[in-house]
Amino acid sequence: SYELTQPPSVSVSPGQTARITCSADALPKQYAYWYQQKPGQAPVRVIYKDSERPSGIPERFSGSSSGTTVTLNISGVQAEDEADYYCQSADSSGTYEVFGGGTKLTVL
Amino acid sequence: EVQLVESGGGLVQPGGSLRLSCAASGFTFSSFWMHWVRQAPGKGLVWVSHINSDGSSTTYADSVKGRFTISRDNAKNTLYLQMNSLRAEDTALYYCAREKVAVAGNYYYYYGLDVWGQGTTVTVSS
């Protein structure tokens, strides 16, 4: 089955830039989406179509794509950004959707 | 206010059935694709199924194919998930979520899951 690979954890100090990667073979063909989930809450979409930021999402959140890897960047990380982050995409046929395993962002 | 509210979760024995519902309000339900996503306790998000805006097309994860059925009633603004032959590994919090999908000729443009409910808990145990 198709899988998206994320690092289990990323740690950064406040004010630094956090980079969370997501890798899979079909990412050059399929868009990626990013979600933030805080404990006890439903996920929130923070990036769509690789790099588009929805209204209401702070400008410090951005996305990029290069080959088989997409990256969520959070510049000037704040304590409130501590959360689990998930990438989502589809297999090469576009039929089946999948989430990455999630990355726990810790703000030191 | 745009809102999705799930219901129908509970405790069920292995091999049993449950039907989840997701009531939508505050937006034109019939214009959006809908998804079910689940999350086992302490684990990550897992996509389960989606249905297109008029209900004519459905897709399932391999783990639930043949056991779960997604459907929708656009007149009632409600999404459903019929779950049969339940297993212990189906234990999870089940979220419904909407997705805007634009169609231009033969191309589909997906915008991601932008509104989520708070989830309903399904526990499969004897």
Side-chain angles (χ1 to χ4, degrees):
Chain A
S1 60
Y2 187 61
E3 293 183 358
L4 303 176
T5 301
Q6 297 181 236
S9 63
V10 168
S11 300
V12 295
S13 299
Q16 290 188 328
T17 296
R19 293 183 177 85
I20 300 173
T21 58
C22 174
S23 300
D25 289 343
L27 286 175
K29 276 190 64 176
Q30 301 292 343
Y31 282 122
Y33 307 81
W34 288 95
Y35 302 88
Q36 176 195 68
Q37 186 181 34
K38 295 181 179 180
Q41 297 183 19
V44 173
R45 184 189 62 169
V46 294
I47 293 290
Y48 66 99
K49 292 169 70 176
D50 288 349
S51 59
E52 300 291 325
R53 188 177 60 251
S55 61
I57 300 301
E59 290 185 8
R60 63 181 181 273
F61 288 86
S62 64
S64 62
S65 175
S66 179
T68 58
T69 299
V70 294
T71 303
L72 173 67
N73 300 283
I74 311 172
S75 60
V77 164
Q78 301 180 6
E80 68 196 51
D81 298 329
E82 188 163 282
D84 294 324
Y85 290 86
Y86 296 90
C87 60
Q88 179 225 337
S89 188
D91 68 348
S92 57
S93 70
T95 302
Y96 299 99
E97 308 200 39
V98 64
F99 286 92
T103 298
K104 180 175 181 58
L105 175 66
T106 300
V107 181
L108 300 170
Chain B
E1 179 191 5
V2 173
Q3 197 171 13
L4 295 171
V5 178
E6 302 92 338
S7 62
L11 174 64
V12 61
Q13 292 188 338
S17 298
L18 273 180
R19 188 176 84 153
L20 306 184
S21 299
C22 169
S25 59
F27 65 98
T28 305
F29 179 69
S30 59
S31 296
F32 289 82
W33 289 36
M34 296 296 297
H35 298 252
W36 287 101
V37 176
R38 68 186 182 185
Q39 187 169 35
K43 302 297 184 181
L45 302 175
V46 176
W47 175 78
V48 173
S49 180
H50 72 222
I51 186 168
N52 68 348
S53 56
D54 66 7
S56 62
S57 176
T58 60
T59 307
Y60 301 90
D62 286 345
S63 59
V64 307
K65 199 174 298 182
R67 300 188 298 123
F68 290 11
T69 302
I70 189 172
S71 62
R72 64 191 297 162
D73 185 336
N74 285 344
K76 294 183 177 179
N77 293 335
T78 303
L79 173 73
Y80 303 100
L81 185 68
Q82 177 67 44
M83 304 187 296
N84 298 330
S85 302
L86 282 162
R87 307 166 180 166
E89 54 264 37
D90 296 318
T91 294
L93 181 64
Y94 284 73
Y95 293 103
C96 65
R98 78 172 194 183
E99 180 174 31
K100 173 184 171 182
V101 178
V103 181
N106 293 329
Y107 293 95
Y108 289 78
Y109 298 92
Y110 301 90
Y111 287 79
L113 283 60
D114 70 328
V115 176
W116 296 63
Q118 286 303 306
T120 187
T121 299
V122 172
T123 302
V124 184
S125 175
S126 55

